[in-house]
Amino acid sequence: AAAFNHVCHPHTTATYQGAAGVKTIDINKFMTLHKVVAENSNGFVLERTQDSIEQHLAGSHYAITIYSDAPEFKGQMIAQALIALPELDGASNIEGYPIKDEDKKRTAIVQAFGVAPEHVKCGIEALFKAIEEIALKEGRTHIIAKMNAKNEPSERMFKKSKFVQHGDLIQVKGQTYTSLFMQKIIEPTPQFTFGYKPQNSALINS
């Protein structure tokens, strides 16, 4: 356990937008970590296919990958997430989200949130900061995530990052479990970890 007790920062954070071609995501590493997370989730994380991830990126949605900069883990992917922009085509599994049509362009949906089991503390911290960074870059002030209502560890994790329950517990069509939606409303700030400074507050607050 002591081997993982390293300083959490700095991390190298890579963000990707499919259509913009900022970088080419290491899809093999992404899928490898996603599989590990799913296998260690007690059935709460449903494994996605590589095709669905590639479709997500091709639709101008985001993938986030967090790499450790600690010397003993240099280059290791420790956390990941997808961000879907609900008004765009190409996102999967966004049916049933309690988002009004007029709110779609100010909402970011978090999906496939995963952290390597041995890097939970550092990975969660860096991943949530990166999610908020991208949300603000896209002019989004509402971040929403869906989880199995019985997934208490995930619920506690999101609550610790100041998410609150959004709407009622529902069973989304085609799914066998009851869903809990968590939401966080964020405000524009020039002091995000990765240096983004909002240039158009009127847009972000609209």
Side-chain angles (χ1 to χ4, degrees), residues 113-152:
F113 187 106
V115 182
E118 67 271 27
H119 291 279
V120 169
K121 181 180 183 298
C122 296
I124 288 173
E125 182 180 353
L127 194 49
F128 273 121
K129 287 185 177 182
I131 288 168
E132 293 191 17
E133 166 78 359
I134 290 177
L136 285 182
K137 283 186 176 182
E138 285 289 336
R140 314 286 160 143
T141 53
H142 294 60
I143 304 174
I144 189 168
K146 180 184 74 173
M147 64 196 69
N148 189 314
K150 294 181 179 180
N151 189 349
E152 295 180 359

Side-chain angles (χ1 to χ4, degrees), residues 4-6 36 73 76-78 115-122:
F4 299 109
N5 188 26
H6 58 270
V36 169
F73 303 116
Q76 181 177 336
M77 188 185 294
I78 65 171
V115 182
E118 67 271 27
H119 291 279
V120 169
K121 181 180 183 298
C122 296

Side-chain angles (χ1 to χ4, degrees), residues 67-82:
Y67 289 84
S68 176
D69 276 347
E72 64 270 40
F73 303 116
K74 185 76 171 179
Q76 181 177 336
M77 188 185 294
I78 65 171
Q80 61 187 180
L82 300 177

Side-chain angles (χ1 to χ4, degrees), residues 105-106 136-141 188 196 199-206:
K105 289 188 176 181
R106 62 176 180 174
L136 285 182
K137 283 186 176 182
E138 285 289 336
R140 314 286 160 143
T141 53
Y196 172 66
Q199 299 298 312
N200 190 339
S201 295
L203 171 65
I204 291 173
N205 286 317
S206 62

Side-chain angles (χ1 to χ4, degrees), residues 12-176:
T12 297
T13 303
T15 62
Y16 304 87
Q17 185 175 6
V22 178
K23 287 185 179 180
T24 301
I25 188 171
D26 189 331
I27 193 70
N28 292 326
K29 284 187 177 181
F30 194 98
M31 296 306 300
T32 296
L33 178 56
H34 180 55
K35 184 177 179 66
V36 169
V37 171
E39 289 176 347
N40 286 274
S41 71
N42 294 319
F44 289 132
V45 175
L46 301 180
E47 193 172 339
R48 295 180 61 150
T49 66
Q50 183 169 326
D51 285 346
S52 76
I53 304 296
E54 291 175 346
Q55 173 184 303
H56 176 96
L57 292 170
S60 296
H61 304 278
Y62 284 89
I64 304 171
T65 53
I66 307 293
Y67 289 84
S68 176
D69 276 347
E72 64 270 40
F73 303 116
K74 185 76 171 179
Q76 181 177 336
M77 188 185 294
I78 65 171
Q80 61 187 180
L82 300 177
I83 293 183
L85 308 179
E87 79 280 10
L88 300 181
D89 293 332
S92 300
N93 306 321
I94 64 172
E95 297 80 9
Y97 277 74
I99 305 172
K100 298 177 182 178
D101 286 344
E102 60 266 30
D103 289 335
K104 285 184 177 180
K105 289 188 176 181
R106 62 176 180 174
T107 301
I109 296 175
V110 178
Q111 299 178 306
F113 187 106
V115 182
E118 67 271 27
H119 291 279
V120 169
K121 181 180 183 298
C122 296
I124 288 173
E125 182 180 353
L127 194 49
F128 273 121
K129 287 185 177 182
I131 288 168
E132 293 191 17
E133 166 78 359
I134 290 177
L136 285 182
K137 283 186 176 182
E138 285 289 336
R140 314 286 160 143
T141 53
H142 294 60
I143 304 174
I144 189 168
K146 180 184 74 173
M147 64 196 69
N148 189 314
K150 294 181 179 180
N151 189 349
E152 295 180 359
S154 184
E155 181 181 356
R156 287 195 299 269
M157 176 184 66
F158 275 84
K159 283 183 175 179
K160 189 174 181 180
S161 292
K162 303 189 185 306
F163 280 72
V164 297
Q165 182 174 336
H166 180 54
D168 298 325
L169 301 180
I170 64 172
Q171 184 166 341
V172 176
K173 184 178 180 180
Q175 296 181 338
T176 59

